[in-house]
C-alpha cells in the first residue's frame, strides 16, 4: 500500500519546490544578462522565452549563430543559405542597426532541409529572426511555438512557467496587428522601435492584467 505523505512532508516538499523555482529564476536572470552583455549566445528556446539576442543586436546574434554551426553538419544548400544570411547581417550597419529588408530576404531564401536540421532548431531560429524583424507570418509561427513549448515544459522546474504563455500571447497580438486593418498596435507599443521591446511590453501587460484579475476569480 503506498504511503500517504504527512502534512509535514507536504510542507517540506512545497518549500523545496519554492527554492528550486527561485534558483531557476536566478539562473534565468544570469543567462539573460549574459546574452544581453554579448558573452553567451542564447538558444532558440531561450529566445522564445524572451531572452535578448546576443548583445541586444540581431546582427551580431545571426553572425555568431551561423558561425556556431559545425562544418559539415548541414548539406550544401543549407550551408550556402546560412552563409548568405551571415553576409547580409554583416553588411548591415554596425551598432545595432539592421538592414531589415536585406536580412529578411536572406531569411526567406534560406533552404534548410529536415535532414540538416533534425530537431528543427536551425529553422526555428531563422523564424524567430524574421519575427524580430517584423514579419507577420513568422511572428504568428513564433506565437505557436511558444505556446507549444509552454504546454510541454516541466512547469515545476521553471522559475516562471507562465513566461512562455505571455510571450505566446504577445507574439500572437503583434503578428495579427501586422496582417491587416482589423486591429492596430495600441499606444504606446506602437511608438516602440524594436519588435523585441514591443513583445516584452505586450507580455508584461498580459501578465499584469491577469495577475490583477485572478483574485476576483478565487
Amino acid at each position: 500500500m503506498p504511503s500517504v505523505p504527512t502534512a509535514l512532508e507536504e510542507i517540506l516538499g512545497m518549500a523545496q519546490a519554492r527554492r528550486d523555482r527561485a534558483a531557476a529564476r536566478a539562473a534565468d536572470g544570469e543567462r539573460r544578462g549574459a546574452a544581453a552583455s554579448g558573452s553567451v549566445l542564447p538558444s532558440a528556446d531561450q529566445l522564445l522565452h524572451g531572452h535578448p539576442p546576443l548583445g541586444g543586436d540581431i546582427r551580431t546574434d545571426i553572425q555568431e549563430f551561423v558561425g556556431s554551426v559545425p562544418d559539415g553538419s548541414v548539406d550544401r544548400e543549407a550551408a550556402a543559405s546560412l552563409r548568405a544570411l551571415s553576409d547580409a547581417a554583416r553588411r548591415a550597419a554596425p551598432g545595432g542597426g539592421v538592414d531589415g529588408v536585406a536580412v529578411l530576404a536572406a531569411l526567406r531564401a534560406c533552404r534548410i532541409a529536415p535532414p540538416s536540421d533534425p530537431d528543427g532548431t536551425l529553422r526555428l531560429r531563422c523564424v524567430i529572426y524574421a519575427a524580430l524583424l517584423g514579419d507577420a507570418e513568422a511572428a504568428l509561427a513564433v506565437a505557436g511555438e511558444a505556446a507549444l513549448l509552454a504546454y510541454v515544459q516541466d512547469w515545476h522546474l521553471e522559475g516562471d512557467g507562465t513566461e512562455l504563455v505571455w510571450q505566446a500571447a504577445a507574439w500572437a497580438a503583434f503578428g495579427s496587428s501586422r496582417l491587416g486593418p482589423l486591429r492596430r498596435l495600441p499606444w504606446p507599443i506602437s511608438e516602440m522601435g524594436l519588435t523585441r521591446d514591443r513583445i516584452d511590453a505586450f507580455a508584461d501587460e498580459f501578465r499584469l492584467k491577469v495577475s490583477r484579475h485572478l483574485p476576483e476569480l478565487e
Side-chain angles (χ1 to χ4, degrees), residues 17-190:
R18 284 194 293 270
R19 288 194 292 271
D20 290 344
R21 285 194 292 272
R25 284 194 296 273
D28 183 73
E30 291 178 0
R31 288 190 292 267
R32 288 174 186 267
S37 68
S39 58
V40 177
L41 181 70
S43 68
D45 281 357
Q46 287 168 349
L47 291 175
L48 283 180
H49 277 81
H51 287 216
L54 187 67
D57 186 350
I58 300 177
R59 169 183 173 272
T60 304
D61 197 296
I62 289 174
Q63 293 178 84
E64 188 69 19
F65 154 62
V66 173
S68 71
V69 178
D71 292 338
S73 64
V74 298
D75 61 31
R76 290 183 178 180
E77 186 176 34
S81 294
L82 292 174
R83 283 196 301 271
L85 174 60
S86 182
D87 289 343
R90 184 165 48 252
R91 289 194 299 269
V98 173
D99 181 356
V101 174
V103 177
L104 265 176
L107 285 165
R108 289 167 177 161
C110 274
R111 297 294 180 267
I112 304 175
S116 290
D117 184 27
D119 62 0
T121 55
L122 301 182
R123 286 166 290 170
L124 173 59
R125 197 177 192 97
C126 289
V127 171
I128 294 172
Y129 287 146
L132 287 171
L133 289 172
D135 183 274
E137 292 185 2
L140 294 176
V142 169
E145 288 292 331
L148 287 170
L149 184 56
Y151 185 81
V152 302
Q153 70 181 339
D154 291 322
W155 283 67
H156 64 287
L157 298 178
E158 296 292 328
D160 181 1
T162 67
E163 181 62 51
L164 281 168
V165 177
W166 313 130
Q167 288 289 315
W171 278 113
F174 174 76
S176 295
S177 74
R178 305 280 290 186
L179 287 177
L182 298 180
R183 292 187 187 274
R184 298 184 182 278
L185 284 175
W187 187 90
I189 293 177
S190 60

